[in-house]
Amino acid sequence: MGGNRTHNGNNPDKVTPLDPRRHKGTGREETDLIPDEGSLGELLIHMRRVRQTVPVNTRLREELRARLLQMQAAEGAGGTQRPGAASTPEGAPQPGAAPAGEGMPPSPAQPAGKGRWPKYFWLFPAVLLLVAGYWLWWSALTPKILEAGTTREISRFWLEDSPLEFVCAPRGRGFLAVRGGALLLLDQYGNQTGIIKPPGGQSYAWPALTPSGDQLALVRRYETGEAEIIRAAMPAVPLAPEAAPQVERALAGANVLLKVDKGKNPAGLVWSPDGKTLAYSLEEPGGKEEIFLWPGGKEPVSLGPGRNPAWSPDGCRLAVERAGPAGEPELWLVTPGGGDARRLTGGRQPAWSPRGYLAFIRAKTTERVLTYSRDGSPLFTVRQRQEEIRTINPELLGERPPKQEENQTLPTDRLLLAPDTTPGGTELNWLRQLEMEGVREPRTLLLDQLNNYQSMHFSPDGKTLLVARRDGGTVALVQVELREKTTGRGEKQ
Amino acid sequence: MHKRDENERGTRASFAELYDRYFDAVNRYLRYRMDNPWDADDLTAAVFLKAMENFPKYRGDAPFAVWLFRIAHNAYVDYLRGRRERVFTEEEMSYLEAAPSGPEEELLRSEEVRQLKDMLRRLPPEQRDVVSLRYAGELKFSQIAQVLGKSTAAVRMIHHRALKALRAHYAKDREEVEGVGRQ
């Protein structure tokens, strides 16, 4: 057991190493060992390995450090100096210790001394101007791409026949989701704070909040087959437990915007950026789907075939999903006037960020090598069609996206979230079987298509993407932090 | 380590220096104990904010690690209390409970972390406290004793019992896994 122990006593970041340590003076080891315990050594090795497996959030470490620095700078440099040093037996500070008045190191913008201010004062606004100028240039001219940052699971639901329908409330107020015909309220941490069930014989579907979060549109379906689109005023409070009765009251007194004939199925509700026009799709009994706009008090306007509309941030265009010649999903750009429509690329479920990025789901064939032969060539391989999330910035394509051949994709789209290619039980069982049969020739396992992603929405500020991801027998609602990155030299956008 | 503690007491160590030294241990301790890493990160931030606020009151009577982990441990206990006070209806529970997962889903998770958290859950609370502070917080027995307000001998005894219990769970889990593998 002792032989398996790793020595980490030299690591200054550790509070205490887990190896046996000698107590000063006594020479006694502080050890975790229990003598004559059979598998304990293995357990301890396991636990140490687990400790290394538990990751530390390095990003939080840096961000929190910066925040603490800022707070301390605001409070004044001497605000958090530990006074305990004065009451220690040693009394006076030891050599090499930080000078009095130092807590966190001063921030770079903070003057080192009052006497220096008048001399270099002009430097401060000059640097600010330079930074502001650079920022303007950077934000306006430099081509950027969207990258996925930290991912966190908001909530998890049982898998149902219908996809998980959800929407983000603005300013971190929480999330709304529809499951089993009921409206669920989730707070900003993903805790379910309320469930609003419709009256008997009715069910809710497709929640859509205006960008300001003050209006909620919903589909209300009746058991008789009829449906209507309703609108309710949302309370301007976080979706905490006390908000549930208010939302319930608002839904009870909701306005009916549109009644839909029996057998037709409204879906994919989404408000325009100004919160005045509602886009939705209508599925007819034969399976035909058509996009409509409800421009407030007027008759709905048809935008042609399609489903899952998404508004551009300026409200001048919509991305919609249409079936291609072979039935595969494609993204099209249409205008609210119903005029010029152009195919953009292959994919489904468009979501348009307030910052201009269009995200969508596309299936692609992945090939994973599970084992290699001795000469380094692939031996056992798995091939599967899996979905991934990609983004594109339609603004960079201009008013008229380049014309493409069928089945072609734009060269400018970027991968945002890759499919999960971790080997699963099926692959492992296949490998075991091949091993038992003594197979040594290259083999490929073809797996069924994996649809990990159900749907997605950007948060109203465009800083996060909320994704419904299928995970075994459940659907996980996952929030992905987003960051913009400038493209490198020679790198294509 | 001992030397460093003495230095902390004797010198005017800055909060930044202490933050850099202990962030990983605190963050790992909370992530080790909590199922949701996001909540653990939030709590880590709250711990350091509270520590910074109260830093002027820190007298240096106990090592900084002990003082900081007392804050972290209390924050964790408060977090648990807050969660326990939440009332779920039966309908809500059906949504919140995780579905039984198949072998593929099992592999998608970090198996070892899951297994250890599972074993920890089966321990009595005080054993769980000691094991977490020891293996994730990487504290000495004497420091754990100060954090939990117990004697060092008592902590050693709790630790001993916890390892015995963990060993039993671990051996049982291994047997089950190997049994499945053989099938």
Side-chain angles (χ1 to χ4, degrees):
Chain A
M1 231 199 71
N4 285 326
R5 235 172 273 134
T6 53
H7 182 77
N8 57 4
N10 293 330
N11 186 346
D13 293 330
K14 300 280 182 208
V15 177
T16 185
L18 289 174
D19 313 308
R21 283 167 294 102
R22 292 198 175 277
H23 282 285
K24 274 190 176 175
T26 64
R28 186 164 57 86
E29 280 185 343
E30 186 174 55
T31 174
D32 289 331
L33 309 187
I34 302 172
D36 305 326
E37 300 288 4
S39 57
L40 191 57
E42 202 182 339
L43 168 67
L44 289 173
I45 292 163
H46 171 77
M47 286 170 75
R48 288 186 188 117
R49 205 168 54 230
V50 169
R51 191 183 71 243
Q52 297 309 321
T53 317
V54 176
V56 165
N57 188 340
T58 49
R59 191 171 166 193
L60 172 73
R61 182 168 55 202
E62 297 314 312
E63 286 179 358
L64 182 61
R65 193 178 201 285
R67 192 173 157 199
L68 293 175
L69 265 170
Q70 261 182 352
M71 287 173 67
Q72 219 160 25
E75 281 173 14
T80 52
Q81 173 57 41
R82 203 190 80 190
S87 65
T88 54
E90 292 85 352
Q94 290 183 0
E102 184 200 50
M104 295 288 259
S107 72
Q110 197 177 357
K114 275 186 179 177
R116 292 185 188 176
W117 269 108
K119 192 173 174 186
Y120 298 109
F121 187 72
W122 62 272
L123 266 174
F124 192 66
V127 168
L128 274 182
L129 268 175
L130 210 64
V131 170
Y134 176 75
W135 184 82
L136 278 174
W137 170 80
W138 183 83
S139 57
L141 296 175
T142 316
K144 290 182 277 293
I145 56 168
L146 206 59
E147 274 193 344
T150 316
T151 299
R152 76 162 172 132
E153 189 177 307
I154 296 288
S155 201
R156 192 176 276 266
F157 304 88
W158 294 106
L159 191 65
E160 290 184 355
D161 291 336
S162 59
L164 175 68
E165 295 151 14
F166 61 92
V167 68
C168 289
R171 295 178 292 277
R173 269 160 49 190
F175 310 91
L176 291 173
V178 168
R179 285 313 263 171
L183 184 68
L184 309 182
L185 270 56
L186 290 93
D187 67 15
Q188 59 173 323
Y189 305 108
N191 296 315
Q192 192 175 309
T193 57
I195 178 165
I196 299 166
K197 292 183 175 176
Q202 299 176 18
S203 63
Y204 293 137
W206 298 105
L209 279 172
T210 50
S212 58
D214 61 344
Q215 299 287 322
L216 169 69
L218 268 178
V219 172
R220 187 160 62 192
R221 291 195 186 114
Y222 292 89
E223 273 179 355
T224 53
E226 284 139 351
E228 54 198 13
I229 296 176
I230 57 171
R231 178 176 62 184
M234 281 290 284
V237 293
L239 296 174
E242 54 272 20
Q246 296 181 49
V247 177
E248 193 163 16
R249 273 197 299 276
L251 280 174
N255 298 329
V256 176
L257 299 184
L258 200 72
K259 281 187 180 293
V260 179
D261 295 342
K262 195 172 178 178
K264 290 188 178 178
N265 194 10
L269 273 55
V270 56
W271 285 101
S272 61
D274 62 4
K276 290 178 180 168
T277 310
L278 187 69
Y280 61 95
S281 66
L282 202 58
E283 187 189 356
E284 294 190 5
K288 183 188 159 200
E289 284 178 301
E290 197 170 345
I291 305 278
F292 286 93
L293 293 186
W294 179 84
K298 299 175 194 165
E299 281 297 303
V301 178
S302 170
L303 296 185
R307 56 191 297 199
N308 294 321
W311 286 92
S312 66
D314 57 5
C316 294
R317 287 188 284 184
L318 288 104
V320 301
E321 182 187 326
R322 287 180 177 173
E328 76 287 356
E330 292 182 342
L331 297 182
W332 284 67
L333 288 182
V334 296
T335 55
D340 187 28
R342 290 187 69 85
R343 179 185 183 273
L344 189 62
T345 187
R348 64 179 190 90
Q349 289 283 347
W352 216 322
S353 152
R355 297 176 174 209
Y357 296 96
L358 184 67
F360 56 95
I361 299 168
R362 183 190 290 153
K364 71 166 209 177
T365 303
T366 57
E367 198 167 82
R368 311 192 295 278
V369 179
L370 298 180
T371 55
Y372 291 87
S373 56
R374 284 187 179 177
D375 63 1
S377 58
L379 188 60
F380 301 139
T381 313
V382 170
R383 196 175 296 160
Q384 187 172 32
R385 219 164 146 69
Q386 290 186 315
E387 289 192 324
E388 61 187 18
I389 296 180
R390 301 187 73 85
T391 60
I392 198 168
N393 193 340
E395 298 305 315
L396 299 176
L397 300 173
E399 283 301 307
R400 297 178 70 81
K403 192 168 170 53
Q404 306 161 75
E405 298 299 318
E406 299 300 340
N407 298 327
Q408 254 192 343
T409 57
L410 286 172
T412 52
D413 63 23
R414 297 270 178 177
L415 178 68
L416 185 72
L417 286 179
D420 198 333
T421 52
T422 317
T426 314
E427 289 98 312
L428 296 182
N429 287 336
W430 181 62
L431 284 178
R432 277 195 200 119
Q433 195 184 335
L434 290 174
E435 195 180 349
M436 278 165 58
E437 291 170 3
V439 176
R440 287 288 174 268
E441 300 83 42
R443 292 279 175 91
T444 301
L445 175 68
L446 297 175
L447 290 175
D448 292 337
Q449 175 160 334
L450 190 64
N451 299 316
N452 277 117
Y453 301 111
Q454 278 195 345
S455 57
M456 61 192 160
H457 289 289
F458 283 96
S459 60
D461 62 4
K463 289 181 180 174
T464 56
L465 182 71
L466 201 62
V467 180
R469 192 189 64 203
R470 193 173 163 168
D471 188 8
T474 59
V475 182
L477 198 53
V478 175
Q479 191 175 44
V480 183
E481 278 184 26
L482 301 171
R483 52 178 177 242
E484 280 185 313
K485 186 189 148 196
T486 51
T487 49
R489 188 177 292 176
E491 195 180 352
K492 282 183 183 173
Q493 161 55 29
Chain B
M1 206 56 241
H2 233 72
K3 182 99 176 164
R4 184 175 292 136
D5 289 341
E6 283 165 13
N7 286 343
E8 280 167 17
R9 260 194 295 273
T11 66
R12 289 170 176 265
S14 72
F15 188 77
E17 190 188 323
L18 295 170
Y19 171 85
D20 290 342
R21 195 181 301 163
Y22 294 113
F23 177 88
D24 286 7
V26 171
N27 189 228
R28 193 169 272 145
Y29 164 70
L30 292 170
R31 281 180 160 230
Y32 200 78
R33 302 214 65 173
M34 296 162 71
D35 288 331
N36 183 346
W38 191 263
D39 284 351
D41 289 347
D42 283 350
L43 213 57
T44 306
V47 166
F48 279 101
L49 283 169
K50 191 165 184 183
M52 195 181 78
E53 268 174 31
N54 291 290
F55 194 55
K57 295 178 200 161
Y58 171 51
R59 292 276 159 219
D61 302 334
F64 184 76
V66 171
W67 183 76
L68 185 64
F69 270 89
R70 262 190 210 144
I71 296 176
H73 183 70
N74 289 341
Y76 172 69
V77 171
D78 287 347
Y79 164 86
L80 280 188
R81 199 174 291 141
R83 286 189 81 84
R84 211 177 298 130
E85 281 167 4
R86 267 200 63 205
V87 179
F88 292 98
T89 62
E90 274 183 32
E91 291 91 334
E92 280 181 312
M93 290 304 286
S94 67
Y95 288 107
L96 292 169
E97 278 169 16
S101 46
E104 215 164 318
E105 289 74 59
E106 291 296 316
L107 279 165
L108 296 178
R109 297 193 179 99
S110 174
E111 183 58 29
E112 289 186 315
V113 176
R114 192 198 60 76
Q115 191 189 1
L116 188 90
K117 283 187 171 176
D118 209 39
M119 292 196 301
L120 280 178
R121 259 186 227 116
R122 287 182 259 173
L123 293 179
E126 64 174 13
Q127 290 185 9
R128 220 178 303 157
D129 289 342
V130 169
V131 168
S132 305
L133 286 167
R134 178 77 179 143
Y135 291 97
E138 301 178 63
L139 294 187
K140 298 181 217 171
F141 289 129
S142 57
Q143 291 175 326
I144 297 170
Q146 289 180 74
V147 171
L148 299 178
K150 295 179 186 296
S151 71
T152 307
V155 167
R156 280 179 180 280
M157 183 52 71
I158 294 167
H159 178 255
H160 179 89
R161 286 182 188 144
L163 285 192
K164 278 183 83 170
L166 279 175
R167 187 197 59 163
H169 295 320
Y170 182 68
K172 195 176 159 213
D173 287 354
R174 288 294 299 266
E175 270 172 27
E176 281 171 8
V177 169
E178 281 163 13
V180 169
R182 274 196 295 276
Q183 281 168 17

